[in-house]
Amino acid sequence: MGKLTVSQTKTLVLQKIRKVLLWIVATFFVSTILSVVVLRWVPVWFTPLMFIRLFQQAGQGHELVLRHRWVPLEDISPSLPKAVMAGEDARFLDHHGFDYRAIEYAAMRNISHPEKRKLGASTISQQTAKNVFLWPGRSWIRKGFEVYFTALIELIWSKERIMEVYLNSIEMGDGIYGASAVAEWHFHKSAADLTKSECALIAGSLPNPRKYNSADPGPYLRKRQGRILREMRFVKTLPDK
């Protein structure tokens, strides 16, 4: 066999690179779709954020705290899904992962009032995708992955499953994740026994649960609690699983 020309060598290298890239892309899609299918049925015991918080605690020399226990949706007060929908995503049962009206409103408000705190338009589906599959951050790469995983869970999971995973995985206090842990450590009861008022407090803390403590609410959190309690009357009830 004769010696390859420079042009032929470049062609072979490009072909190998193309094969490797195709293999990476195929592996990514197969593995992510499979993981979403599996988690349609299997409880989510840990999330990336839980591990990140543990590393942060260790780096700061703090005691490692991770309070989390998975409970099925039927063992959570029915007021909690209504409260988080009222506080975070009122059209959760109507959209397919993205609330375009909320996105448009947030964009217009942020443009017209740049001096104010920026509004977000993240839905419960998006937050679930971020909590379970991704890392915290605001980069466009992470946002792109969030859109991808949101579309996947909306396609493969039911709304009830999305809510179940959300209520079990979301950060609800310092080292506290999910409805069972916050019910136990903040209200000394089971998640099933949470009152409507307590559920509204929990939902009110979610924008920043390490700052707003549902066990010791200040004036701001009490104000959010009142608004959520009023809006819960107009939120659709989550269907049975």
Side-chain angles (χ1 to χ4, degrees):
M1 180 182 293
K3 186 176 180 180
L4 296 175
T5 65
V6 173
S7 176
Q8 290 173 325
T9 302
K10 287 182 178 179
T11 301
L12 286 175
V13 170
L14 289 174
Q15 287 176 345
K16 289 182 179 179
I17 292 174
R18 181 172 177 272
K19 286 181 180 179
V20 170
L21 290 176
L22 287 173
W23 182 85
I24 291 173
V25 170
T27 301
F28 170 78
F29 281 111
V30 170
S31 62
T32 53
I33 292 172
L34 181 61
S35 65
V36 172
V37 170
V38 169
L39 291 179
R40 170 65 179 85
W41 309 105
V42 176
V44 179
W45 299 115
F46 298 101
T47 67
L49 181 61
M50 294 179 190
F51 288 112
I52 289 170
R53 293 288 190 240
L54 287 175
F55 280 116
Q56 290 173 342
Q57 291 168 6
Q60 296 167 358
H62 296 165
E63 178 186 1
L64 299 186
V65 178
L66 175 57
R67 298 180 174 118
H68 174 251
R69 184 170 69 88
W70 176 277
V71 291
L73 188 60
E74 55 265 27
D75 291 341
I76 298 174
S77 168
S79 293
L80 192 54
K82 295 194 73 170
V84 297
M85 284 190 281
E88 297 287 295
D89 185 4
R91 288 186 282 273
F92 171 67
L93 295 176
D94 298 322
H95 63 63
H96 298 288
F98 308 96
D99 189 339
Y100 297 106
R101 281 192 286 173
I103 293 171
E104 182 181 7
Y105 173 79
M108 295 300 295
R109 191 271 200 182
N110 292 337
I111 292 172
S112 58
H113 296 285
E115 76 284 358
K116 294 184 178 181
R117 182 179 63 86
K118 290 190 178 300
L119 286 181
S122 182
T123 63
I124 286 173
S125 301
Q126 288 175 269
Q127 292 179 52
T128 303
K130 178 186 70 176
N131 289 337
V132 176
F133 300 102
L134 301 171
W135 64 95
R138 296 182 178 275
S139 70
W140 286 108
I141 292 176
R142 194 205 62 80
K143 200 66 180 177
F145 281 125
E146 180 184 304
V147 170
Y148 170 72
F149 279 106
T150 299
L152 269 187
I153 65 174
E154 280 281 343
L155 179 66
I156 297 173
W157 298 359
S158 65
K159 287 289 188 180
E160 297 75 41
R161 178 59 176 178
I162 293 174
M163 180 62 74
E164 183 175 56
V165 174
Y166 175 81
L167 292 179
N168 273 284
S169 62
I170 194 167
E171 189 174 33
M172 292 184 169
D174 196 5
I176 296 173
Y177 304 88
S180 179
V182 75
E184 178 182 353
W185 289 94
H186 282 188
F187 301 102
H188 312 292
K189 58 177 64 176
S190 71
D193 294 328
L194 288 168
T195 67
K196 184 183 294 187
S197 179
E198 291 164 346
C199 291
L201 271 179
I202 293 169
S205 73
L206 293 184
N208 194 338
R210 296 201 294 168
K211 179 179 180 180
Y212 304 116
N213 187 345
S214 58
D216 184 25
Y220 173 79
L221 187 50
R222 286 293 185 189
K223 184 178 179 180
R224 278 186 56 83
Q225 177 195 32
R227 181 180 65 79
I228 289 171
L229 283 171
R230 290 191 298 273
E231 294 185 4
M232 283 172 67
R233 295 176 295 174
F234 307 107
V235 173
K236 293 181 180 179
T237 301
L238 195 70
D240 293 332
K241 287 181 67 179

